[in-house]
Amino acid sequence: MEQWKRNLLILTIGTFITASSFSMVMPFLPLFLLQIGVHHQIALWSGALYSIAYLAGVISAPFWGMMADRYGRKLMIIRAGFVLFFVYFMTAFVTNPFELLGLRLIQGLLSGFIPGATTLIASTTPEKKAGYALSWLAAANAGGTITGPLIGGVIATLTTNRIAFGTAGILVLLSIFLVIFFVKDDHFNKTKEHPKFYQTLRETAHNRQLLYALFLNMVTSLAIMTIEPVITLYISELSHSVVHASLIAGIVFSLTGIASAIFAPLWGRAADHFGFRPILLIGLFGGAVWTFLQLPLETLWWFTTVRFLYGLFFSAVFPSINGLVLQSTSSSFRGRAFGLNQTSNQLGSMLGPLIGGTVTDYTSIHGLFFVTGVFLLSISITSVWEWKKLNAKEARQTRT
């Protein structure tokens, strides 16, 4: 087997395991708070546990990107994996919420397994296969997110949440050893100078295509996270049941993830043939259309169907953005570029729930769907305009 294919296989497995371990832990943190004696301000503590890792990741991701360019992508994946193992395993032993908050802070500051895997795959895969490879990582991420809560729920039911957290850590440890023994970063060329953060920002500011890819990652992450925190409320309205809303919401989320896992590799093949830009536009326009079509639905089954179709189209977006980051950077800058890409993603993920909650409070859930649909449509139209300018610039450079 060619080395790039072996890298893709192992890191797809590693991404699936890491995404599964994350979703094994996170949905059960509010319940775990109750078990360790927190009976007041549960929502506040839950929000803090979610947000602190995103905030820390926004700050630290560019630094780890620079370290990847300096010391190697594989080393950064292994480092991030050991951090995740430590955080998940130690979560099984916490006795108060402050210890839990500290572990989440460590996770945000020091982890980054999946962004590291994305960087290595983007750097070691032949350019004609990049879309295919990146989309498999996206599919593994979606698949792990789907199966994680099921695995974690079963383990927690049969044993305890502490055992589930420890199991998540052991699974990540397994993925680390797979990376150590089977992944090779053959295309890594160590940078001769120590890159400085201000130099990274200056170089990024002069790279218009990279800058726009980072902007797209932030705004699309924001658009997703405006809706996801309130979907459970909307489902309870459609199903006329609060009791079963969590179960039904889980099914709806799973169907969206299943659509992503199935169709992301197909979009990746299409991107290798037609280019990342047109596939990204299809994903953005499709996401906008199917967001609007969630507005008039009054039955749960139709809403679930539309969410599946939304996942079908939107699964083209993030692999295509990663592909644009790959195309717009040299190998020596790629770690820093994907570090900034991760910062953009986490910044959008952090701001999205705040904006979504505000819009819902002042309008309604239907108003939020409308605003998010307009937002995605605006991004799509702006992207067409932006890439026309980039294509014209590239054509002038070719003539000269």
Short mmCIF file of all heavy atoms in Angstrom, two decimals, residues 202-255:
data_model
loop_
_atom_site.label_atom_id
_atom_site.label_comp_id
_atom_site.label_asym_id
_atom_site.label_seq_id
_atom_site.Cartn_x
_atom_site.Cartn_y
_atom_site.Cartn_z
N ARG A 202 1.05 38.38 9.07
CA ARG A 202 1.39 39.23 7.92
C ARG A 202 1.35 38.44 6.62
O ARG A 202 0.82 38.93 5.61
CB ARG A 202 2.79 39.83 8.13
CG ARG A 202 3.21 40.83 7.05
CD ARG A 202 4.51 41.51 7.42
NE ARG A 202 5.59 40.54 7.60
CZ ARG A 202 6.80 40.85 8.06
NH1 ARG A 202 7.07 42.10 8.42
NH2 ARG A 202 7.74 39.93 8.19
N GLU A 203 1.88 37.23 6.66
CA GLU A 203 1.86 36.40 5.45
C GLU A 203 0.43 36.00 5.09
O GLU A 203 0.06 35.97 3.91
CB GLU A 203 2.72 35.14 5.68
CG GLU A 203 2.98 34.36 4.42
CD GLU A 203 4.07 33.32 4.58
OE1 GLU A 203 4.88 33.44 5.53
OE2 GLU A 203 4.13 32.39 3.75
N THR A 204 -0.39 35.74 6.09
CA THR A 204 -1.80 35.41 5.84
C THR A 204 -2.54 36.59 5.24
O THR A 204 -3.35 36.44 4.32
CB THR A 204 -2.48 34.98 7.16
OG1 THR A 204 -1.79 33.85 7.70
CG2 THR A 204 -3.94 34.60 6.91
N ALA A 205 -2.26 37.79 5.76
CA ALA A 205 -2.94 39.00 5.27
C ALA A 205 -2.65 39.26 3.80
O ALA A 205 -3.48 39.88 3.10
CB ALA A 205 -2.52 40.20 6.12
N HIS A 206 -1.50 38.80 3.30
CA HIS A 206 -1.14 39.00 1.90
C HIS A 206 -1.57 37.83 1.01
O HIS A 206 -1.28 37.83 -0.19
CB HIS A 206 0.37 39.20 1.77
CG HIS A 206 0.84 40.54 2.27
ND1 HIS A 206 1.16 40.77 3.59
CD2 HIS A 206 1.02 41.73 1.64
CE1 HIS A 206 1.53 42.02 3.74
NE2 HIS A 206 1.45 42.63 2.59
N ASN A 207 -2.24 36.85 1.59
CA ASN A 207 -2.71 35.69 0.83
C ASN A 207 -4.24 35.74 0.80
O ASN A 207 -4.91 35.26 1.70
CB ASN A 207 -2.23 34.39 1.49
CG ASN A 207 -2.53 33.15 0.66
OD1 ASN A 207 -3.46 33.12 -0.14
ND2 ASN A 207 -1.73 32.12 0.87
N ARG A 208 -4.78 36.34 -0.25
CA ARG A 208 -6.22 36.63 -0.28
C ARG A 208 -7.06 35.36 -0.28
O ARG A 208 -8.10 35.29 0.37
CB ARG A 208 -6.56 37.48 -1.51
CG ARG A 208 -8.02 37.87 -1.58
CD ARG A 208 -8.24 39.05 -2.47
NE ARG A 208 -9.65 39.41 -2.50
CZ ARG A 208 -10.11 40.60 -2.87
NH1 ARG A 208 -9.25 41.55 -3.22
NH2 ARG A 208 -11.40 40.86 -2.88
N GLN A 209 -6.63 34.33 -1.03
CA GLN A 209 -7.43 33.10 -1.08
C GLN A 209 -7.45 32.41 0.27
O GLN A 209 -8.50 31.93 0.71
CB GLN A 209 -6.87 32.15 -2.14
CG GLN A 209 -7.67 30.84 -2.20
CD GLN A 209 -7.38 30.04 -3.46
OE1 GLN A 209 -7.41 30.58 -4.56
NE2 GLN A 209 -7.12 28.74 -3.30
N LEU A 210 -6.30 32.37 0.96
CA LEU A 210 -6.27 31.78 2.30
C LEU A 210 -7.13 32.58 3.26
O LEU A 210 -7.89 32.01 4.05
CB LEU A 210 -4.83 31.72 2.81
CG LEU A 210 -4.65 31.27 4.28
CD1 LEU A 210 -5.21 29.87 4.48
CD2 LEU A 210 -3.18 31.32 4.68
N LEU A 211 -7.03 33.90 3.19
CA LEU A 211 -7.81 34.76 4.07
C LEU A 211 -9.30 34.52 3.88
O LEU A 211 -10.07 34.44 4.86
CB LEU A 211 -7.46 36.22 3.78
CG LEU A 211 -7.64 37.24 4.91
CD1 LEU A 211 -6.81 36.86 6.12
CD2 LEU A 211 -7.25 38.63 4.41
N TYR A 212 -9.72 34.36 2.62
CA TYR A 212 -11.14 34.13 2.37
C TYR A 212 -11.57 32.73 2.82
O TYR A 212 -12.68 32.55 3.33
CB TYR A 212 -11.47 34.31 0.89
CG TYR A 212 -12.96 34.44 0.65
CD1 TYR A 212 -13.64 35.59 1.06
CD2 TYR A 212 -13.68 33.41 0.07
CE1 TYR A 212 -15.01 35.71 0.88
CE2 TYR A 212 -15.05 33.53 -0.12
CZ TYR A 212 -15.70 34.67 0.28
OH TYR A 212 -17.06 34.78 0.12
N ALA A 213 -10.70 31.75 2.69
CA ALA A 213 -11.02 30.40 3.18
C ALA A 213 -11.21 30.41 4.69
O ALA A 213 -12.12 29.75 5.22
CB ALA A 213 -9.92 29.42 2.78
N LEU A 214 -10.35 31.14 5.40
CA LEU A 214 -10.49 31.25 6.86
C LEU A 214 -11.80 31.95 7.23
O LEU A 214 -12.49 31.54 8.17
CB LEU A 214 -9.32 32.02 7.45
CG LEU A 214 -7.92 31.42 7.25
CD1 LEU A 214 -6.85 32.33 7.85
CD2 LEU A 214 -7.84 30.03 7.85
N PHE A 215 -12.14 32.98 6.47
CA PHE A 215 -13.41 33.69 6.70
C PHE A 215 -14.59 32.74 6.49
O PHE A 215 -15.54 32.71 7.30
CB PHE A 215 -13.50 34.89 5.75
CG PHE A 215 -14.87 35.49 5.68
CD1 PHE A 215 -15.35 36.30 6.70
CD2 PHE A 215 -15.67 35.27 4.56
CE1 PHE A 215 -16.62 36.87 6.62
CE2 PHE A 215 -16.94 35.84 4.48
CZ PHE A 215 -17.42 36.63 5.51
N LEU A 216 -14.54 31.94 5.42
CA LEU A 216 -15.63 31.00 5.14
C LEU A 216 -15.77 29.97 6.25
O LEU A 216 -16.89 29.61 6.64
CB LEU A 216 -15.39 30.29 3.81
CG LEU A 216 -15.68 31.08 2.54
CD1 LEU A 216 -15.31 30.25 1.31
CD2 LEU A 216 -17.16 31.47 2.47
N ASN A 217 -14.64 29.49 6.78
CA ASN A 217 -14.70 28.51 7.86
C ASN A 217 -15.39 29.10 9.09
O ASN A 217 -16.24 28.46 9.72
CB ASN A 217 -13.29 28.04 8.23
CG ASN A 217 -13.29 26.72 8.98
OD1 ASN A 217 -14.24 26.37 9.66
ND2 ASN A 217 -12.21 25.98 8.85
N MET A 218 -15.03 30.35 9.41
CA MET A 218 -15.63 30.98 10.58
C MET A 218 -17.14 31.19 10.41
O MET A 218 -17.92 30.83 11.29
CB MET A 218 -14.96 32.32 10.87
CG MET A 218 -15.48 33.00 12.13
SD MET A 218 -14.84 34.67 12.38
CE MET A 218 -15.75 35.56 11.10
N VAL A 219 -17.55 31.74 9.26
CA VAL A 219 -18.97 32.09 9.11
C VAL A 219 -19.85 30.87 8.91
O VAL A 219 -21.01 30.85 9.35
CB VAL A 219 -19.17 33.11 7.96
CG1 VAL A 219 -18.51 34.44 8.31
CG2 VAL A 219 -18.65 32.58 6.64
N THR A 220 -19.33 29.82 8.26
CA THR A 220 -20.15 28.62 8.11
C THR A 220 -20.26 27.87 9.44
O THR A 220 -21.33 27.33 9.76
CB THR A 220 -19.57 27.68 7.03
OG1 THR A 220 -18.17 27.48 7.25
CG2 THR A 220 -19.77 28.25 5.65
N SER A 221 -19.18 27.86 10.25
CA SER A 221 -19.27 27.27 11.59
C SER A 221 -20.28 28.04 12.43
O SER A 221 -21.08 27.45 13.17
CB SER A 221 -17.91 27.29 12.28
OG SER A 221 -16.96 26.57 11.55
N LEU A 222 -20.24 29.36 12.31
CA LEU A 222 -21.18 30.20 13.03
C LEU A 222 -22.61 29.89 12.62
O LEU A 222 -23.51 29.76 13.47
CB LEU A 222 -20.84 31.67 12.76
CG LEU A 222 -21.58 32.75 13.57
CD1 LEU A 222 -20.70 33.99 13.69
CD2 LEU A 222 -22.90 33.13 12.91
N ALA A 223 -22.83 29.74 11.30
CA ALA A 223 -24.18 29.46 10.80
C ALA A 223 -24.72 28.14 11.34
O ALA A 223 -25.90 28.04 11.72
CB ALA A 223 -24.18 29.44 9.27
N ILE A 224 -23.88 27.12 11.38
CA ILE A 224 -24.30 25.82 11.92
C ILE A 224 -24.67 25.93 13.39
O ILE A 224 -25.72 25.44 13.82
CB ILE A 224 -23.18 24.77 11.73
CG1 ILE A 224 -23.01 24.42 10.26
CG2 ILE A 224 -23.49 23.51 12.52
CD1 ILE A 224 -21.82 23.52 9.99
N MET A 225 -23.83 26.60 14.15
CA MET A 225 -24.01 26.64 15.60
C MET A 225 -25.09 27.63 16.05
O MET A 225 -25.47 27.63 17.21
CB MET A 225 -22.69 26.98 16.29
CG MET A 225 -21.65 25.88 16.15
SD MET A 225 -22.24 24.26 16.72
CE MET A 225 -22.45 24.58 18.47
N THR A 226 -25.60 28.48 15.15
CA THR A 226 -26.75 29.30 15.53
C THR A 226 -27.99 28.44 15.71
O THR A 226 -28.82 28.71 16.58
CB THR A 226 -27.06 30.37 14.46
OG1 THR A 226 -27.28 29.75 13.20
CG2 THR A 226 -25.95 31.39 14.36
N ILE A 227 -28.09 27.38 14.91
CA ILE A 227 -29.30 26.56 14.89
C ILE A 227 -29.22 25.36 15.83
O ILE A 227 -30.18 25.04 16.53
CB ILE A 227 -29.60 26.09 13.45
CG1 ILE A 227 -30.02 27.27 12.58
CG2 ILE A 227 -30.68 25.01 13.43
CD1 ILE A 227 -30.29 26.93 11.15
N GLU A 228 -28.08 24.68 15.86
CA GLU A 228 -28.00 23.39 16.55
C GLU A 228 -28.43 23.45 18.03
O GLU A 228 -29.12 22.54 18.50
CB GLU A 228 -26.60 22.80 16.41
CG GLU A 228 -26.32 22.31 14.99
CD GLU A 228 -25.24 21.27 14.92
OE1 GLU A 228 -24.73 20.88 15.98
OE2 GLU A 228 -24.90 20.85 13.81
N PRO A 229 -28.06 24.49 18.80
CA PRO A 229 -28.46 24.48 20.20
C PRO A 229 -29.97 24.59 20.44
O PRO A 229 -30.44 24.26 21.53
CB PRO A 229 -27.73 25.72 20.79
CG PRO A 229 -26.58 25.93 19.88
CD PRO A 229 -27.09 25.56 18.52
N VAL A 230 -30.74 25.09 19.44
CA VAL A 230 -32.18 25.28 19.66
C VAL A 230 -33.03 24.26 18.92
O VAL A 230 -34.25 24.31 18.99
CB VAL A 230 -32.62 26.72 19.25
CG1 VAL A 230 -31.88 27.75 20.08
CG2 VAL A 230 -32.40 26.96 17.76
N ILE A 231 -32.39 23.34 18.20
CA ILE A 231 -33.17 22.38 17.44
C ILE A 231 -34.04 21.50 18.34
O ILE A 231 -35.16 21.15 17.99
CB ILE A 231 -32.23 21.51 16.55
CG1 ILE A 231 -31.93 22.26 15.26
CG2 ILE A 231 -32.85 20.17 16.22
CD1 ILE A 231 -31.19 21.47 14.23
N THR A 232 -33.50 21.15 19.52
CA THR A 232 -34.29 20.32 20.44
C THR A 232 -35.61 21.00 20.80
O THR A 232 -36.66 20.35 20.87
CB THR A 232 -33.48 20.02 21.71
OG1 THR A 232 -32.26 19.39 21.34
CG2 THR A 232 -34.25 19.09 22.63
N LEU A 233 -35.55 22.32 21.02
CA LEU A 233 -36.78 23.07 21.33
C LEU A 233 -37.76 23.02 20.16
O LEU A 233 -38.97 22.85 20.35
CB LEU A 233 -36.44 24.52 21.66
CG LEU A 233 -35.54 24.76 22.88
CD1 LEU A 233 -35.18 26.24 23.00
CD2 LEU A 233 -36.25 24.28 24.14
N TYR A 234 -37.24 23.16 18.96
CA TYR A 234 -38.10 23.15 17.78
C TYR A 234 -38.72 21.77 17.57
O TYR A 234 -39.91 21.65 17.23
CB TYR A 234 -37.28 23.55 16.55
CG TYR A 234 -38.11 23.79 15.31
CD1 TYR A 234 -39.19 24.66 15.33
CD2 TYR A 234 -37.80 23.16 14.11
CE1 TYR A 234 -39.94 24.90 14.20
CE2 TYR A 234 -38.54 23.38 12.96
CZ TYR A 234 -39.62 24.26 13.01
OH TYR A 234 -40.36 24.49 11.89
N ILE A 235 -37.94 20.74 17.82
CA ILE A 235 -38.45 19.38 17.67
C ILE A 235 -39.55 19.11 18.69
O ILE A 235 -40.55 18.44 18.40
CB ILE A 235 -37.30 18.36 17.80
CG1 ILE A 235 -36.42 18.43 16.55
CG2 ILE A 235 -37.83 16.94 17.99
CD1 ILE A 235 -35.15 17.62 16.64
N SER A 236 -39.38 19.64 19.91
CA SER A 236 -40.42 19.45 20.92
C SER A 236 -41.73 20.12 20.50
O SER A 236 -42.82 19.63 20.80
CB SER A 236 -39.96 19.99 22.27
OG SER A 236 -39.84 21.40 22.25
N GLU A 237 -41.63 21.24 19.77
CA GLU A 237 -42.84 21.90 19.24
C GLU A 237 -43.50 21.04 18.16
O GLU A 237 -44.72 20.87 18.14
CB GLU A 237 -42.49 23.28 18.67
CG GLU A 237 -42.13 24.32 19.71
CD GLU A 237 -41.87 25.67 19.08
OE1 GLU A 237 -42.19 25.83 17.87
OE2 GLU A 237 -41.35 26.56 19.76
N LEU A 238 -42.67 20.51 17.25
CA LEU A 238 -43.22 19.71 16.15
C LEU A 238 -43.81 18.40 16.64
O LEU A 238 -44.82 17.93 16.12
CB LEU A 238 -42.14 19.43 15.10
CG LEU A 238 -41.62 20.63 14.30
CD1 LEU A 238 -40.51 20.19 13.36
CD2 LEU A 238 -42.75 21.29 13.50
N SER A 239 -43.16 17.79 17.64
CA SER A 239 -43.62 16.48 18.12
C SER A 239 -44.66 16.61 19.24
O SER A 239 -45.24 15.61 19.65
CB SER A 239 -42.42 15.67 18.64
OG SER A 239 -41.82 16.32 19.74
N HIS A 240 -44.85 17.86 19.72
CA HIS A 240 -45.80 18.12 20.81
C HIS A 240 -45.47 17.28 22.04
O HIS A 240 -46.34 16.81 22.75
CB HIS A 240 -47.25 17.85 20.37
CG HIS A 240 -47.63 18.58 19.12
ND1 HIS A 240 -47.78 19.95 19.08
CD2 HIS A 240 -47.85 18.14 17.86
CE1 HIS A 240 -48.11 20.32 17.84
NE2 HIS A 240 -48.15 19.24 17.09
N SER A 241 -44.14 17.09 22.23
CA SER A 241 -43.70 16.26 23.37
C SER A 241 -42.36 16.76 23.87
O SER A 241 -41.40 16.83 23.10
CB SER A 241 -43.59 14.79 22.97
OG SER A 241 -42.97 14.03 24.00
N VAL A 242 -42.30 17.12 25.14
CA VAL A 242 -41.04 17.51 25.74
C VAL A 242 -40.30 16.27 26.25
O VAL A 242 -39.08 16.19 26.25
CB VAL A 242 -41.27 18.50 26.90
CG1 VAL A 242 -39.96 18.85 27.59
CG2 VAL A 242 -41.96 19.76 26.38
N VAL A 243 -41.08 15.26 26.66
CA VAL A 243 -40.51 14.06 27.27
C VAL A 243 -39.55 13.35 26.32
O VAL A 243 -38.46 12.93 26.70
CB VAL A 243 -41.63 13.10 27.72
CG1 VAL A 243 -41.03 11.81 28.27
CG2 VAL A 243 -42.51 13.77 28.76
N HIS A 244 -39.98 13.22 25.05
CA HIS A 244 -39.17 12.46 24.09
C HIS A 244 -38.35 13.37 23.17
O HIS A 244 -37.79 12.88 22.19
CB HIS A 244 -40.07 11.57 23.24
CG HIS A 244 -40.87 10.57 24.04
ND1 HIS A 244 -40.27 9.55 24.73
CD2 HIS A 244 -42.20 10.47 24.28
CE1 HIS A 244 -41.20 8.83 25.34
NE2 HIS A 244 -42.38 9.38 25.10
N ALA A 245 -38.28 14.67 23.47
CA ALA A 245 -37.59 15.60 22.58
C ALA A 245 -36.11 15.26 22.43
O ALA A 245 -35.56 15.33 21.34
CB ALA A 245 -37.75 17.03 23.09
N SER A 246 -35.46 14.89 23.54
CA SER A 246 -34.02 14.59 23.47
C SER A 246 -33.75 13.38 22.58
O SER A 246 -32.82 13.38 21.77
CB SER A 246 -33.46 14.34 24.88
OG SER A 246 -33.55 15.49 25.66
N LEU A 247 -34.58 12.33 22.73
CA LEU A 247 -34.41 11.14 21.90
C LEU A 247 -34.62 11.45 20.43
O LEU A 247 -33.83 11.06 19.57
CB LEU A 247 -35.38 10.05 22.36
CG LEU A 247 -35.41 8.77 21.50
CD1 LEU A 247 -34.05 8.10 21.51
CD2 LEU A 247 -36.50 7.82 22.01
N ILE A 248 -35.72 12.18 20.15
CA ILE A 248 -36.03 12.51 18.75
C ILE A 248 -34.96 13.42 18.17
O ILE A 248 -34.54 13.27 17.02
CB ILE A 248 -37.42 13.15 18.65
CG1 ILE A 248 -38.49 12.17 19.14
CG2 ILE A 248 -37.73 13.57 17.22
CD1 ILE A 248 -39.87 12.78 19.31
N ALA A 249 -34.50 14.40 18.98
CA ALA A 249 -33.44 15.30 18.51
C ALA A 249 -32.17 14.50 18.19
O ALA A 249 -31.48 14.78 17.21
CB ALA A 249 -33.14 16.36 19.56
N GLY A 250 -31.87 13.51 19.02
CA GLY A 250 -30.70 12.66 18.75
C GLY A 250 -30.82 11.94 17.42
O GLY A 250 -29.85 11.83 16.67
N ILE A 251 -32.02 11.46 17.12
CA ILE A 251 -32.25 10.79 15.84
C ILE A 251 -32.06 11.75 14.68
O ILE A 251 -31.42 11.43 13.67
CB ILE A 251 -33.65 10.16 15.81
CG1 ILE A 251 -33.75 9.04 16.86
CG2 ILE A 251 -33.98 9.63 14.42
CD1 ILE A 251 -35.15 8.50 17.05
N VAL A 252 -32.62 12.98 14.82
CA VAL A 252 -32.49 13.98 13.76
C VAL A 252 -31.03 14.35 13.54
O VAL A 252 -30.55 14.41 12.40
CB VAL A 252 -33.32 15.24 14.10
CG1 VAL A 252 -33.05 16.34 13.08
CG2 VAL A 252 -34.81 14.91 14.14
N PHE A 253 -30.29 14.58 14.63
CA PHE A 253 -28.86 14.88 14.51
C PHE A 253 -28.12 13.72 13.84
O PHE A 253 -27.23 13.94 13.01
CB PHE A 253 -28.26 15.14 15.89
CG PHE A 253 -28.47 16.54 16.39
CD1 PHE A 253 -29.15 16.77 17.56
CD2 PHE A 253 -27.98 17.62 15.69
CE1 PHE A 253 -29.35 18.06 18.04
CE2 PHE A 253 -28.17 18.92 16.15
CZ PHE A 253 -28.85 19.14 17.32
N SER A 254 -28.49 12.50 14.21
CA SER A 254 -27.82 11.34 13.64
C SER A 254 -28.04 11.25 12.14
O SER A 254 -27.11 10.93 11.38
CB SER A 254 -28.32 10.06 14.33
OG SER A 254 -27.95 10.05 15.68
N LEU A 255 -29.26 11.53 11.69
CA LEU A 255 -29.56 11.47 10.26
C LEU A 255 -28.74 12.49 9.48
O LEU A 255 -28.24 12.21 8.39
CB LEU A 255 -31.05 11.67 10.02
CG LEU A 255 -31.94 10.49 10.40
CD1 LEU A 255 -33.42 10.86 10.28
CD2 LEU A 255 -31.64 9.28 9.51
#
